[in-house]
Amino acid sequence: QVQLVESGGGLVQAGGSLRLSCAASGRTFSSYAMGWFRQAPGKEREFVARINWSGGRTYYADSVKGRFTISRDNAKNTVYLQMNSLKPEDTAVYYCAAATSREYEFDYWGQGTQVTVSS
């Protein structure tokens, strides 16, 4: 079992920045990949970014590439999403997820944190 708790969401103006955090507990954090997803009102949940167990490999959705950075601190059991140059279309509930069984097959999810970008 893995428990995930996101934090860091909020209201920011377009062009601003936020850093989301996701604290994990329950299993050896450094043994599995992590990801961030988001869901905007009326839309399906979509992939944002992922990072492998060591932090050495990352992958981003085209919509956030160059603006968002995913990272992890295995000593703190935490994954981060640094979001810069935010746009109103980034408004969504952001979820972190853990892929504990097979790489990049996410089987545990956090409760989500709201990010709202005003124009």
Side-chain angles (χ1 to χ4, degrees):
Q1 289 279 359
V2 173
Q3 293 78 43
L4 303 171
V5 179
E6 301 99 333
S7 61
L11 173 64
V12 64
Q13 288 189 333
S17 298
L18 281 175
R19 188 176 81 154
L20 305 183
S21 300
C22 173
S25 61
R27 284 185 59 174
T28 304
F29 181 70
S30 59
S31 67
Y32 50 85
M34 295 292 295
W36 285 96
F37 294 75
R38 67 187 181 186
Q39 187 167 20
K43 295 187 177 181
E44 294 188 352
R45 185 153 55 188
E46 65 174 359
F47 166 79
V48 174
R50 71 187 189 210
I51 188 166
N52 76 327
W53 64 273
S54 69
R57 282 185 291 148
T58 58
Y59 185 78
Y60 298 90
D62 287 343
S63 58
V64 307
K65 201 173 296 181
R67 300 187 298 122
F68 290 10
T69 302
I70 188 171
S71 63
R72 67 189 295 161
D73 185 338
N74 287 344
K76 295 184 178 180
N77 291 354
T78 301
V79 63
Y80 303 97
L81 186 68
Q82 178 67 45
M83 306 185 294
N84 298 329
S85 302
L86 283 161
K87 305 174 181 179
E89 51 263 44
D90 294 318
T91 295
V93 177
Y94 283 71
Y95 300 89
C96 70
T100 66
S101 298
R102 299 182 66 176
E103 193 172 38
Y104 305 136
E105 288 190 9
F106 296 95
D107 48 358
Y108 290 94
W109 297 82
Q111 82 289 349
T113 186
Q114 176 71 46
V115 172
T116 303
V117 184
S118 63
S119 57

